[in-house]
């Protein structure tokens, strides 16, 4: 990892892929409707259920919905799909809004909640009952399942299916009034128990839940199901294109049936695309919730989590996530995407934007015997070789320095070109340095290196033109800032965690190694939380909010080596 001096990525994609987003089948459909004069401007929505934090899979849906709206001059709503009060929390609502803004999207005044529509949805349920298109069910959830049939067998009619509308209306009103226990009754749409599509076999559209709701409090004890609330909320908001993931493809006939059978003010259409799956992580809220609840991570924003909050804390730039989403595109069939592609997008962005600094994570003391005692000087260091405008900074140098312990070997093998007894190397931005002796303690552990420097090589070049084979980073001991650096590895040991059923067994016990006593150059003392720099030769690191002025904490965002670029070269 230490052999490269700078990031080897060469690809120079634009900063924001959404500016020239590629055409996908959804954009083709919308463009065709606009061209045919059928559509003026699209209205889309992003509909999270506030039962967890947003993850990178959601970013795909967000970039699609907001991107389409932006490109076609329409608008995108943020709608909380808050129909299940048992699992939803205000913390999640706040986090979702913050993460969306961070990712670069704004819904303006178009913030909605499915719960805003509870009264109207209730009226529409009564409408279905009056029309003989819905009935109150007395069977238990288990019995409903039994009667529903299977993919190969038709369902059977419930004994309550032919209740008269008046009786249904009375029972439904009593459900609303709280006369029944959870599960005692439900409201079902009366469609077709023999349908080949199980979603049309009289789906439940209202269930009894005696739980307070974050927004409506105790006003309701019956709640609409996702299927009943979703399409109707789309219609109420005049959404034109309701974009969802493929598992809802089989729900589309029900979506359409409800829109056709209710007095809705507009006629939205549902389109399905493949959800994002990513190697080396999990993107199911149920599993992410379990990771948090079982203490495998410190929280939803743990830098090992694939949540937007976690990725942000680890230091991933929002631009890199948008770039990644643009590159994977939107299709009808989904493949698992390599995490290496996301890593590549991150390096590509940070290589261009992150300033370089020097930091030593596993320090070994160097004493330069021919450097004046008590002397010091400052040297020019380039902030970003990819960006001349980033300028230069001054780095202090002195008689005592820190270098990385593994940049020295007492008895080096053939291919080790870094420091060894009698060998000369370059100290970045400084001088040529030669090791004269390795000092050891009683146990044989090397405690410091005795060295000499060549004062003629200031700036890192020898006037006589002699070459060295390695350039090391270093930090002057007198000015070093002590820091904790958290080295993150993937949270799981395999690319398909949980494939054998037990996610816990695939957790990487070494996914976090916290190094204390790391030595940073003084310019890093006041790095603001969230700011990312490249530690030369080591990788990209981001200041963590756990740090404080004078005692920073850094997270390793990503190492320097780009396996994706290699994969592409080979292919
Ligand atoms: P989970 O299945 O993990 O519970 P979800 O789909 O229920 O996630 P929601 O909050 O309902 O989570 O999702 C909001 C929107 O984000 C939905 O339109 C959903 O289709 C989309 N979405 C969720 N996960 C992904 C993913 N991995 N890829 C693309 N879109 C996704
Ligand atoms: Mg969902």
């Amino acid at each position: 990892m230490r052999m490269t001096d700078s990031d080897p990525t060469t690809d120079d994609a634009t900063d924001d892929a959404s500016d020239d987003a590629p055409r996908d089948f959804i954009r083709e459909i919308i463009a065709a409707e606009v061209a045919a004069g059928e559509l003026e401007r699209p209205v889309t929505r992003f509909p999270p259920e506030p039962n967890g934090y947003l993850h990178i899979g959601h970013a795909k849906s967000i970039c699609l919905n907001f991107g389409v709206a932006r490109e076609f001059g329409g608008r995108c709503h943020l709608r909380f799909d808050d129909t299940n009060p048992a699992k939803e929390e205000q913390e999640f609502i706040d986090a979702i809004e913050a993460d969306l803004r961070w990712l670069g999207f704004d819904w303006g005044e178009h913030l909605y909640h499915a719960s805003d529509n509870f009264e109207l949805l209730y009226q529409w349920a009564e409408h279905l009952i009056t029309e003989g298109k819905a009935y109150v069910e007395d069977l238990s959830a288990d019995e409903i399942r039994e009667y529903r049939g299977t993919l190969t067998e038709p369902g059977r009619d419930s004994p309550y299916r032919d209740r008269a509308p008046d009786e249904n209306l009375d029972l439904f009103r009593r459900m609303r009034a709280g006369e029944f226990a959870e599960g005692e009754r439900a409201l079902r749409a009366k469609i077709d128990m023999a349908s080949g599509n199980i979603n049309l076999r009289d789906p439940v559209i209202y269930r009894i839940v005696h739980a307070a709701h974050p927004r409506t409090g105790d006003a309701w004890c019956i709640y609409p199901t996702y299927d009943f609330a979703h399409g109707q909320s789309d219609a109420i908001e005049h959404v034109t294109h309701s974009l969802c993931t493929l598992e809802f493809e089989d729900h589309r006939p029900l979506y359409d049936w409800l829109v056709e059978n209710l007095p809705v003010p507009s006629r939205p259409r549902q389109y399905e695309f493949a959800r994002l799956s990513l190697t080396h992580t999990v993107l199911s809220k149920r599993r992410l919730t379990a990771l948090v609840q079982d203490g495998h991570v410190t929280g939803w924003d743990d830098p090992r989590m694939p949540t937007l909050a976690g990725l942000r804390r680890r230091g991933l730039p929002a631009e890199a996530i948008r770039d990644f989403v643009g590159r994977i595109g939107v299709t009808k069939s989904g493949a698992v995407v390599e995490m290496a592609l996301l890593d590549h997008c991150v390096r590509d962005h940070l290589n261009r934007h992150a300033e370089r600094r020097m930091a030593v994570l596993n320090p070994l003391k160097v004493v330069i015997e021919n450097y004046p005692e008590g002397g010091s000087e400052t040297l020019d260091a380039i902030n970003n070789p990819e960006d001349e405008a980033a300028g230069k900074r001054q780095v202090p140098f002195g008689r005592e320095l820190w270098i990385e312990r593994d940049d020295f070997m007492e008895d080096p093998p053939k291919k080790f070109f870094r420091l060894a007894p009698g060998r000369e190397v370059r100290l970045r931005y400084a001088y040529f340095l030669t090791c004269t002796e390795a000092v050891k303690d009683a146990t044989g552990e090397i405690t410091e290196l005795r060295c000499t420097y060549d004062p003629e090589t200031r700036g890192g070049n020898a006037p006589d033109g002699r070459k060295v084979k390695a350039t090391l980073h270093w930090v002057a001991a007198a000015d070093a800032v002590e820091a904790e650096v958290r080295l993150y590895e993937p949270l799981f040991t395999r690319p398909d965690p949980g494939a054998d059923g037990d996610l816990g067994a695939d957790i990487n016990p070494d996914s976090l190694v916290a190094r204390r006593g790391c030595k940073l150059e003084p310019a890093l003392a006041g790095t603001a939380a969230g700011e990312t720099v490249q530690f030369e030769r080591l990788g990209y690191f981001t200041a963590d909010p756990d740090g404080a002025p004078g005692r920073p904490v850094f997270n390793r965002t990503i190492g320097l080596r780009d396996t994706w670029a290699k994969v592409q070269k080979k292919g």
Side-chain angles (χ1 to χ4, degrees), residues 46-49 55 57-58 60-61 245 273 275-276 283-285:
F46 174 65
E49 181 178 359
H55 53 64
H58 291 117
K60 177 174 179 178
S61 173
T245 40
F273 63 95
R275 64 197 290 129
L276 170 66
L283 295 181
S284 123
K285 270 195 267 185

Side-chain angles (χ1 to χ4, degrees), residues 47-49 51 58 81 226 230 245 247-248 275 285:
E49 181 178 359
N51 62 350
H58 291 117
D81 169 23
Y226 170 88
H230 199 88
T245 40
E247 67 273 23
F248 291 103
R275 64 197 290 129
K285 270 195 267 185

Side-chain angles (χ1 to χ4, degrees), residues 70 94 113 150 162 214 247 256 258 311 330 363 402 523 529 556:
R70 185 187 290 166
D94 297 340
H113 300 79
T150 63
D162 289 322
E247 67 273 23
D256 290 340
L258 289 166
L311 298 174
V330 180
W402 299 107
R556 180 166 65 196

Side-chain angles (χ1 to χ4, degrees), residues 512-531:
L512 167 58
V513 176
R515 288 246 172 106
R516 297 195 177 77
C518 301
K519 313 288 184 184
L520 314 184
E521 67 166 90
L524 289 167
T527 312
E531 204 180 306

